[in-house]
Amino acid sequence: MRVPSGEHTKQNGVDVGNERRGGDERIPVGVVGTGGMGGMHAYCLHRKVAGARVAAVSDVDADRVGKVAEECGGAAVFGDAVEMIRDGGVEAVVIASPDPTHAELVHECLRLGKPVLCEKPLATSPEEALGIVEAEVEAGRKLVQVGFMRRYDPQHVDVKNVAASGAIGEPVLFKGWHRNARIPAGVDSGWVVINAAIHDLDSARWMLDAEVREVFVRGLNTTGSSVGELDLQLIQLTFADGRLATIEVNVDAGFGYEVGVEVVGASGTAYTAPPSGATVRLDRGFTQKVDGDWLDRFEPAYTIELQEWVRSIESGGPPSPDAWDGYASLVVAGACIASIRSGKPEAVPVPERPGLYAGEATGVTR
Ligand code: ISE
C-alpha cells in the first residue's frame, strides 16, 4: 500500500486530535475496497486524520485486505462489504470499491443511517444516483459525501476563492485539463466520461456555481490502445446562464498525470499552477517532476477531504460535496455520452433541486 508522505496528526500512535476524548472515542470507520484508492483512504484515516480510526476493511482479495488491515493496526477483515457495513463495530463507511458497486452499498449505509464517503462516481448512471437522492430526501437528512477530492485540493480551493471573490470580475469561462498516463485495458468512451471526466464536470459546476444546460463532446482515439474508443475527449459545456466551459480529458497521455483548471473572469483569470516541486536547471535544460497518478497529485486533498468528512460527522454538519452534486454531475455525464453517440450538442435536463439540498451553494469554499 502506498505510504503517503507528510507529517502525521498523531504522535506515538496517539491521536493528538483525540486526547480531549479521553481515549478511544474516535469514529470507527469501515473501508470498502483496499486497492490503490481504498488503501490510500485507509492509510490516511489511520495515520493522518484525527477523530476516526479504521475499525474494519473489506475486499474480495484476501491477501490485499489482510495487508491493509495489518497496516491499520489490526482492523477487522471482511470479505463481504455489506456484512462489514452492517457490523455494529462500524459507524461510518468509506466506499472505494469498483464503480458498479457504489449505489447498492450507499443504499445499505442509508438504510442503516451510517454516514458514507463514496468515491466518485456516486453511481454509474443518473438514474441510479437519483435513487440515492430520493432515499436521502425520504429520510430527511444527508448522509452521503461524494469523493470529489479536488474541492479539497489547496490549489483548486485557491482558484475557487479567487473566482468567488470578484477579484477577476464575473467568471465567464471554465477551462479544465485532465491527463492520465495510461488508459486501463478494456474501457470505453463511456467509462472515460463516468469514471474520469466526472471530476471535471463537478469542478465546472463548483467553480462557476451553476448548472449545465447543454453539452457537446468530440474526441478521438490517440493510441489505438482501445480501438474505436475516445481516449481524448473535448467537452464543451453551456451553463443555464449562458456561460461556458471547455474540458480536455486525455486518459492515454503517456507522459504522466496532470490536472489543472483555469477560471476566466471579465477582467482576469485564475488557474492552478503546475504541481509544486523543484524546477531543475542542468546541462542547459529545465526539468520538473510530473506526477505518476492521482494518488501522487492529490494525496493532501484526500487527507483534507477525509478530515472534513470526519468533522462533519462529529459536528452534524452537512457533508460536501453531497449526493446532489454526485447526481447532477452524472446528469451532465449522461448528456455527454449521448453527444458522443449523436455527434451533436445535447440538452441537459436541469433537474429541480429538492429542498434538502437548497441553499447548498456549490460555491462553498474552505
Ligand atoms: C480515477 O478513478 C480518479 O478518480 C482520478 O482522480 C482520475 O484522474 C482518473 O481519471 C480516474 O480514473
Side-chain angles (χ1 to χ4, degrees):
M1 172 175 63
R2 185 187 305 267
V3 178
S5 57
E7 290 306 307
H8 312 152
T9 55
K10 299 177 180 175
Q11 281 122 28
N12 306 320
V14 176
D15 259 327
V16 292
N18 290 293
E19 284 171 357
R20 69 178 181 283
R21 294 197 180 89
D24 205 354
E25 294 179 11
R26 296 169 293 172
I27 297 168
V29 175
V31 179
V32 178
T34 54
M37 194 67 256
M40 171 67 88
H41 283 312
Y43 200 90
C44 290
L45 280 166
H46 178 62
R47 296 288 297 272
K48 302 175 79 174
V49 170
R53 64 183 174 87
V54 180
V57 286
S58 74
D59 199 309
V60 294
D61 182 327
D63 290 341
R64 191 166 70 181
V65 73
K67 286 194 183 100
V68 171
E70 188 184 336
E71 284 285 340
C72 292
V77 173
F78 290 79
D80 179 84
V82 173
E83 185 186 347
M84 184 192 76
I85 292 169
R86 291 174 177 167
D87 188 88
V90 169
E91 294 179 19
V93 179
V94 172
I95 297 173
S97 46
D99 299 355
T101 67
H102 290 184
E104 175 206 351
L105 296 176
V106 168
H107 275 296
E108 187 62 23
C109 295
L110 295 182
R111 189 180 68 81
L112 296 165
K114 294 188 178 181
V116 51
L117 171 59
C118 180
E119 265 299 328
K120 40 55 60 183
L122 177 61
T124 52
S125 72
E127 294 76 18
E128 252 195 345
L130 181 59
I132 292 168
V133 166
E134 289 170 344
E136 282 200 323
V137 169
E138 187 176 343
R141 64 175 174 163
K142 301 196 293 186
L143 287 171
V144 178
Q145 179 168 324
V146 181
F148 290 129
M149 77 295 177
R150 296 182 191 179
R151 294 195 186 208
Y152 294 98
D153 172 56
Q155 280 214 46
H156 281 72
V157 171
D158 207 15
V159 170
K160 169 63 189 175
N161 287 333
V162 168
S165 73
I168 59 173
E170 170 70 8
V172 290
L173 170 64
F174 170 88
K175 298 168 73 173
W177 51 101
H178 178 178
R179 296 156 179 165
N180 287 191
R182 279 282 169 262
I183 192 170
V187 299
D188 61 13
S189 305
W191 178 91
V192 175
V193 176
I194 297 288
N195 180 275
I198 199 80
H199 277 297
D200 312 282
L201 300 177
D202 176 67
S203 289
R205 287 183 65 247
W206 175 49
M207 289 282 178
L208 264 59
D209 198 8
E211 297 298 355
V212 176
R213 75 167 187 231
E214 183 186 88
V215 305
F216 183 29
V217 183
R218 311 189 80 170
L220 52 86
N221 185 284
T222 61
T223 61
S225 55
S226 291
V227 178
E229 300 305 331
L230 307 183
D231 57 16
L232 172 62
Q233 298 184 12
L234 199 54
I235 300 173
Q236 293 179 320
L237 307 176
T238 306
F239 291 97
D241 57 14
R243 292 181 293 166
L244 301 171
T246 175
I247 299 164
E248 171 208 327
V249 180
N250 181 354
V251 294
D252 215 359
F255 67 88
Y257 184 81
E258 185 182 33
V259 162
V261 299
E262 179 173 23
V263 174
V264 178
S267 54
T269 88
Y271 66 95
T272 48
S276 60
T279 298
V280 177
R281 286 180 172 81
L282 187 64
D283 298 337
R284 300 182 58 196
F286 285 78
T287 58
Q288 185 180 40
K289 170 183 168 294
V290 174
D291 290 305
D293 61 21
W294 47 94
L295 300 177
D296 283 340
R297 167 65 181 80
F298 288 108
E299 171 199 323
Y302 293 124
T303 302
I304 298 167
E305 172 189 55
L306 287 162
Q307 186 66 76
E308 290 299 306
W309 177 60
V310 169
R311 287 196 179 121
S312 75
I313 297 170
E314 287 174 331
S315 66
S320 176
D322 57 27
W324 179 261
D325 296 308
Y327 166 58
S329 58
L330 280 163
V331 171
V332 180
C336 288
I337 292 172
S339 180
I340 289 171
R341 290 185 182 133
S342 71
K344 297 176 182 155
E346 295 286 344
V348 179
V350 180
E352 188 70 30
R353 189 193 289 249
L356 183 66
Y357 305 98
E360 289 296 308
T362 55
V364 174
T365 56
R366 284 147 202 87

